[in-house]
Amino acid sequence: MVGGRVKKIGKTLPKELIDNSGKQLERLDTKPALLDLKNLESKNIYYFGTVDSTNLIIRRLAAEGAPNFSTAVAEEQQEGRGRLGRSWFSPRGTGLWFSMLLRPDISNRIDITPVTLVTAAVLANYFREVHNLPVLVKWPNDLLLSGKKIGGTLTEIIGIPDRPGYLVTGIGLNINQQEIDFPGELRLRATSLALESGNFYNRTELFLAIKETLEKAYRLFFSEGFPPFQKLWKKHSSTLGQDVTLSWTGGTMRGKALDLSKHGELLLQDEQGKIHTVNYGELI
Ligand code: BTN
């Protein structure tokens, strides 16, 4: 059990709190509980305090020859990156900010481009099945809870001339933030697991469980491709069947989200009935 029910978070907390398994919880009103992930380099987990971006750390580790599934996790990112060139708010000690190195065997010709949808579908499924939280995926890879964003993933595909390339999959999850932890405008769009469930989460346990779940999923993806995950994504989608507005650098388009293709593209029917296959942009 990772989460324990906490009635109120603040200075009025009783001194001792236990979770459902009887384990004592750390208090949130003193300082954020830091991750307990030191000395795990032998398992290829690299734990940092403050970094620019864990995606950049993985690129540096990859250049030094780090193996498949090497993972960089940080308490805080000062240049956290989001999709479409945005920044990602990554304050200290509250969420999970980590990136994994993926070195797929490309000899089996699997189409790797939907990897970011794989990550989102697997995370939504994990939160639903393990924590009973109704997390949904908004195309392509936003994780939503109660209509607000609790997480996102950013995948970078790195090609190297004459050598096998690799992927960096970066994951940002809002875990123990309270409302006050989100700056003004973000407060309207973002939320955390703690805010939605009233539970306090042990980020270390959560991180280790999620990393294991993702590793298993990536192994399956790189051997069988997207079909099993296309099904999972569709199962947890908040997008399909909805009237949506697609926004991209060239403009916007209103339409109905009909389906997800076997490559992870959105099939969008515009107001004239024409069906577009979309692989870039965001739904606003
Ligand atoms: C999005 O825009 O939805 C994607 C956000 C991805 C954020 C994560 S946090 C860990 C990793 N490092 C980064 O700089 N970005 C990703």
Side-chain angles (χ1 to χ4, degrees), residues 33-165:
L34 297 185
L35 291 159
D36 184 12
L37 294 171
K38 287 190 192 121
N39 306 320
L40 289 177
E41 283 84 357
S42 61
K43 295 194 164 152
N44 297 311
I45 295 174
Y46 299 87
Y47 169 56
F48 300 89
T50 304
V51 298
D52 42 11
S53 153
T54 53
N55 271 32
L56 291 175
I57 302 275
I58 284 296
R59 287 170 80 138
R60 289 171 204 137
L61 287 169
E64 288 167 21
N68 197 15
F69 298 134
S70 294
T71 303
V73 51
E75 294 291 352
E76 175 184 23
Q77 298 184 116
Q78 288 184 331
E79 290 167 38
R81 304 152 150 216
R83 279 186 74 236
L84 307 172
R86 301 204 177 106
S87 61
W88 181 261
F89 180 61
S90 326
R92 185 175 176 80
T94 54
L96 283 175
W97 328 121
F98 66 100
S99 304
M100 294 172 81
L101 171 62
L102 305 180
R103 293 190 185 276
D105 170 10
I106 47 162
S107 61
N108 56 10
R109 302 198 165 270
I110 293 290
D111 170 21
I112 55 170
T113 47
V115 64
T116 190
L117 285 89
V118 170
T119 310
V122 167
L123 288 170
N125 194 58
Y126 168 82
F127 286 121
R128 296 180 84 95
E129 295 216 324
V130 181
H131 298 281
N132 204 20
L133 292 167
V135 173
L136 290 170
V137 188
K138 179 177 147 198
W139 186 86
N141 54 11
D142 283 352
L143 294 169
L144 304 183
L145 194 50
S146 307
K148 289 181 164 182
K149 189 150 165 169
I150 57 131
T153 87
L154 174 71
T155 304
E156 297 176 274
I157 300 177
I158 317 289
I160 308 168
D162 304 324
R163 280 178 37 209

Side-chain angles (χ1 to χ4, degrees), residues 207-261:
F207 164 76
L208 292 170
I210 289 173
K211 177 175 150 52
E212 197 183 315
T213 304
L214 285 173
E215 269 192 39
K216 215 167 129 194
Y218 292 137
R219 282 185 212 280
L220 182 66
F221 173 56
F222 291 128
S223 72
E224 305 213 349
F226 191 49
F229 300 100
Q230 180 192 23
K231 213 167 146 200
L232 199 64
W233 191 97
K234 284 165 80 161
K235 184 172 165 194
H236 301 317
S237 158
S238 72
T239 303
L240 298 185
Q242 301 295 315
D243 290 325
V244 295
T245 302
L246 174 75
S247 162
W248 72 100
T249 36
T252 60
M253 185 200 293
R254 286 191 53 77
K256 193 174 197 92
L258 292 184
D259 205 354
L260 186 78
S261 81

Side-chain angles (χ1 to χ4, degrees), residues 166-188:
Y166 61 88
L167 291 96
V168 182
T169 175
I171 291 142
L173 296 168
N174 297 328
I175 309 294
N176 285 328
Q177 287 98 328
Q178 297 301 298
E179 239 177 75
I180 197 162
D181 297 321
F182 291 107
E185 189 267 335
L186 198 56
R187 205 172 292 172
L188 304 173

